[in-house]
């Protein structure tokens, strides 16, 4: 999958997408899981962020089955996301 300018313009500030996994369930039917780390001071509605992320995956990339986990902190996470360097870049 490649990113084009339209997709980049639909992203929002203060967020990091990581742990993205995409696979084909059956020909023409793809699935995706991802984590979206949102700035804890983000003033908007987290449900809107989730819907926007789902829209990008579905409309821009044609993914049918989408599971997205929204996070506001890495604290307490048992998975090693290897995103500390990205998190520092957002601050």
């Amino acid at each position: 999958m490649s990113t084009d300018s339209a997709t980049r313009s639909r992203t929002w500030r203060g967020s990091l997408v990581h742990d993205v996994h995409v696979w084909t369930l059956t020909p023409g039917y793809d699935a995706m899981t991802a984590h979206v780390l949102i700035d804890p001071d983000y003033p908007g509605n987290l449900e809107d962020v989730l819907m926007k992320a789902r829209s990008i995956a579905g409309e821009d990339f044609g993914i049918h089955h989408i599971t997205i986990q929204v996070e506001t902190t890495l604290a307490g996470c048992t998975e090693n996301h290897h995103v500390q360097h990205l998190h520092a870049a957002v601050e």
Side-chain angles (χ1 to χ4, degrees), residues 15-81:
S15 63
L16 299 168
V17 179
H18 59 100
D19 271 4
V20 178
H21 304 277
V22 179
W23 65 99
T24 299
L25 295 172
T26 61
Y29 193 87
D30 297 327
M32 181 192 94
T33 62
H35 294 212
V36 178
L37 178 62
I38 304 297
D39 183 334
D41 296 326
Y42 175 71
N45 183 331
L46 293 183
E47 187 67 25
D48 292 341
V49 172
L50 176 61
M51 295 308 295
K52 188 172 198 175
R54 291 180 58 80
S55 174
I56 291 169
E59 294 174 16
D60 294 353
F61 296 105
I63 297 172
H64 298 90
H65 184 83
I66 304 161
T67 303
I68 298 174
Q69 179 174 325
V70 176
E71 304 165 331
T72 56
T73 179
L74 292 176
C77 188
T78 59
E79 299 170 344
N80 187 355
H81 299 298

Side-chain angles (χ1 to χ4, degrees), residues 2-12 52-53 55-57 59-61:
S2 63
T3 343
D4 61 16
S5 59
T7 300
R8 285 193 299 274
S9 70
R10 293 177 62 188
T11 60
W12 52 96
K52 188 172 198 175
S55 174
I56 291 169
E59 294 174 16
D60 294 353
F61 296 105

